[in-house]
Amino acid sequence: MKIIIVGATGTLGKKVAEAFAQKHEVVRVGNTKGDVRVDITDETSIKAMFEKVGPFDALISTSGKGPFAPVSQMTGEVFKSGLLDKLLGQVNLVLIGQHYINKGGSFSLISGILADHPVAAGSALSAINGGLNAFVLAAAPELGNGVRLNVISPNVVEDSPAYFDSFPGEIPVTMDKVVKAFEKSVLGIVTGQVIKVY
């Protein structure tokens, strides 16, 4: 398969790319590094990426940022930065990518545990992750040509110790478990699923 991995140069993306590259053709996409560059907040940039890569069999996204800030200090502009990046950016990968993906292909996005288990200063990411989960549930049945759509929702991962204190009481998950969730989404038959890793 030809698999596009958006965010392939990041902590999680590197591991996912390594796993899939063992048996598949992987196109590593990053904001500043990679085989192809993309700014997921810019629809023109996303279209240019798909034009450059051409037809593909699967797209994995481990990309997207959102703000961590207490509600008392949150502003609409700060909140919107995450909506435009992690939420709309990944939604646009599907909306635009559906016109380039091969029959029977799949999209695998990333949300996170905060959709279900909020933490202090995480209201924006809770809303973003919840929005991604809801989009996948609603959009998957509408995709044609046997194209599947899922979202992986992991807990904080072991390789990101800087975030541990922000997730009190949570047991960090291994990168391998998150990689396996992406393998289930890409190589399996499920669609319209929130694949939780926690």
Side-chain angles (χ1 to χ4, degrees):
M1 284 196 293
K2 183 177 180 182
I3 303 173
I4 300 171
I5 301 183
V6 180
T9 57
T11 304
L12 176 57
K14 278 182 192 167
K15 294 278 189 183
V16 174
E18 283 168 14
F20 280 97
Q22 291 172 23
K23 294 182 180 177
H24 305 279
E25 178 191 350
V26 168
V27 180
R28 291 171 170 84
V29 178
N31 194 16
T32 56
K33 293 184 289 188
D35 305 322
V36 182
R37 312 281 168 84
V38 72
D39 174 0
I40 65 168
T41 67
D42 180 352
E43 290 183 46
T44 303
S45 178
I46 293 173
K47 283 176 186 163
M49 173 196 73
F50 284 123
E51 287 289 339
K52 187 168 185 179
V53 172
F56 64 97
D57 301 297
L59 179 139
I60 292 170
S61 174
T62 61
S63 186
K65 299 189 294 283
F68 249 105
V71 170
S72 61
Q73 296 169 24
M74 182 66 74
T75 65
E77 278 302 306
V78 172
F79 200 102
K80 189 166 79 172
S81 69
L83 295 177
L84 294 176
D85 194 313
K86 188 173 183 181
L87 179 56
L88 188 59
Q90 290 194 93
V91 167
N92 274 330
L93 289 173
V94 177
L95 298 183
I96 298 167
Q98 67 181 322
H99 304 295
Y100 295 85
I101 196 166
N102 290 329
K103 185 176 181 180
S106 70
F107 293 97
S108 303
L109 309 182
I110 190 160
S111 60
I113 191 171
L114 296 186
D116 296 320
H117 298 280
V119 298
S123 63
L125 279 164
S126 288
I128 289 161
N129 291 342
L132 283 162
N133 294 353
F135 169 73
V136 165
L137 296 178
E142 290 193 51
L143 290 173
N145 284 328
V147 173
R148 298 180 300 105
L149 169 63
N150 298 297
V151 60
I152 315 306
S153 179
N155 200 340
V156 63
V157 292
E158 282 187 345
D159 289 31
S160 296
Y163 292 101
F164 289 177
D165 288 348
S166 299
F167 293 80
E170 296 294 344
I171 299 169
V173 296
T174 65
M175 296 293 262
D176 286 346
K177 279 191 174 176
V178 184
V179 169
K180 289 295 179 193
F182 277 105
E183 288 177 348
K184 177 179 182 177
S185 178
V186 174
L187 306 175
I189 62 169
V190 298
T191 190
Q193 298 293 307
V194 178
I195 302 171
K196 297 179 180 179
V197 191
Y198 51 86

